[in-house]
Amino acid sequence: MIVQSGVEKTTIDEVAREAGVSKGGVLHHFPSKEAIVIGLVGRLIEKFEADVSALQALDPEVRGSFTRAYLKESTKKNDHSIEVFFALRGGIPQLSGAARPTA
């Protein structure tokens, strides 16, 4: 929803409806829309780091394993994490200047 509408146009009511919870339930855990965005970005980063670590653990060659795992995870096809990150970055002033990677 945030990817389609953008952070600015998405409301907490829409987030609650999409999640199937009350607005009060959302606000109990996330006191603002910015807190929701920060939480989502945090989850994306955690997932990315866990996926890189898993790939690195599978690599039989230790030297360079982090770089190979990082690049493989960063260029994964059909993973919409990058689009989600850039849709969310507008909701966090510290991230709004982040450069979009070139293909």
Side-chain angles (χ1 to χ4, degrees), residues 30-70:
F30 302 98
S32 67
K33 192 164 43 170
E34 183 177 276
I36 294 169
V37 172
I38 290 169
L40 288 170
V41 170
R43 288 286 294 137
L44 286 173
I45 291 168
E46 288 172 7
K47 181 185 179 319
F48 179 81
E49 289 175 343
D51 291 347
V52 168
S53 292
L55 286 172
Q56 188 177 7
L58 295 173
D59 193 331
E61 177 61 41
V62 175
R63 185 179 177 127
S65 63
F66 173 79
T67 302
R68 285 188 294 279
Y70 182 91

Side-chain angles (χ1 to χ4, degrees), residues 67-79:
T67 302
R68 285 188 294 279
Y70 182 91
L71 292 173
K72 186 171 186 174
E73 190 60 28
S74 296
T75 59
K76 203 164 50 171
K77 301 293 184 212
N78 299 321
D79 181 359

Side-chain angles (χ1 to χ4, degrees), residues 2 6-9 32-39 41 84-97:
I2 290 176
V7 173
E8 296 80 18
K9 292 181 182 176
S32 67
K33 192 164 43 170
E34 183 177 276
I36 294 169
V37 172
I38 290 169
V41 170
V84 172
F85 173 78
F86 282 101
L88 295 173
R89 74 182 180 145
I92 303 175
Q94 300 91 323
L95 296 178
S96 60

Side-chain angles (χ1 to χ4, degrees), residues 7 10-12 15 23 26-39 91:
V7 173
T10 301
T11 67
I12 292 178
V15 171
K23 181 177 180 178
V26 171
L27 291 171
H28 175 74
H29 295 284
F30 302 98
S32 67
K33 192 164 43 170
E34 183 177 276
I36 294 169
V37 172
I38 290 169

